[in-house]
Amino acid sequence: MKRIFYCITAVDNAYTPHLGTLLSSIGENAFEKGFDYSIYFTIIDFGISENNKEKLMLVSQKNNSIKLFFKTANAEMVRNRLNLPDRSDVNRKIINFSALLLDHFIPKNAEYLLWLDVDTIILKPIHILFDKKPKLFAGVLDIVSSSIRNKTIGNDHSPYFNCGVILW
């Protein structure tokens, strides 16, 4: 039986070229001969134009094992679900905050989920990430200054990690 690996990202219309590059890199590098799996890729859509959706579908169709699913989102929905204030500093990062709502966008039967920022490039087969149970958390400390972090998330003392790739 063919395994299904679930991937997800969030993007607005301005970053669809980056997403197209990510999808191309998945199509070219994420699959290894002898491994039969599909990638179901959910795109949290913050206003992608129909024209750009069509272009993304064309990129994904170059590899029959990649299926795209668009889930509409907006700033109000993210703010409400996370109880965030309606402030300009929060709204500028609303796509980033959507990573905290992954369970709202994927099927409940997904064993694992791989979050990928749209500026990520896949260079190797990804099945190895899904074949091992994660035993640790690894992250890169974000270099944002504490004063900016305090304004955006209200805490300048706790570590803040860059979360461009998350295996959940």
Side-chain angles (χ1 to χ4, degrees):
M1 184 166 101
K2 194 174 218 181
R3 288 182 70 190
I4 298 172
F5 298 140
Y6 294 91
C7 295
I8 191 167
T9 195
V11 67
D12 61 13
N13 199 53
Y15 279 84
T16 54
H18 295 69
L19 178 54
T21 302
L22 168 59
L23 292 172
S24 291
S25 74
I26 289 172
E28 292 176 20
N29 301 314
F31 297 91
E32 186 172 5
K33 290 185 181 189
F35 290 87
D36 191 22
Y37 56 91
S38 292
I39 296 176
Y40 283 17
F41 204 107
T42 298
I43 298 166
I44 304 172
D45 174 3
F46 282 87
I48 302 172
S49 71
E50 290 303 316
N51 184 45
N52 280 338
K53 285 182 187 179
E54 289 174 19
K55 290 177 183 177
L56 293 169
M57 293 299 286
L58 287 173
V59 169
S60 73
Q61 290 169 359
K62 292 180 182 177
N63 185 314
N64 290 333
S65 293
I66 301 173
K67 309 285 185 244
L68 298 185
F69 301 91
F70 293 90
K71 303 285 185 170
T72 302
N74 60 50
E76 182 181 6
M77 183 267 299
V78 174
R79 281 194 315 270
N80 288 343
R81 289 194 178 161
L82 295 175
N83 199 25
L84 296 170
D86 186 5
R87 298 188 328 230
S88 62
D89 57 330
V90 171
N91 291 334
R92 281 194 305 272
K93 295 284 191 178
I94 207 71
I95 291 175
N96 303 75
F97 284 120
S98 67
L100 300 172
L101 297 172
L102 299 180
D103 59 326
H104 293 278
F105 295 105
I106 59 158
K108 300 298 180 205
N109 64 338
E111 183 179 0
Y112 293 111
L113 174 70
L114 184 63
W115 166 275
L116 297 168
D117 273 1
V118 294
D119 59 355
T120 304
I121 302 293
I122 302 301
L123 299 175
K124 300 277 183 180
I126 64 168
H127 66 86
I128 58 172
L129 294 173
F130 292 94
D131 289 340
K132 297 182 181 197
K133 296 203 186 246
K135 295 185 185 327
L136 60 94
F137 171 81
V140 177
L141 281 176
D142 202 310
I143 59 170
V144 173
S145 74
S146 61
S147 64
I148 293 172
R149 192 167 53 234
N150 190 37
K151 288 179 188 174
T152 57
I153 63 173
N155 182 342
D156 64 344
H157 302 293
S158 299
Y160 180 70
F161 293 94
N162 181 311
C163 59
V165 177
I166 303 170
L167 180 60
W168 180 38

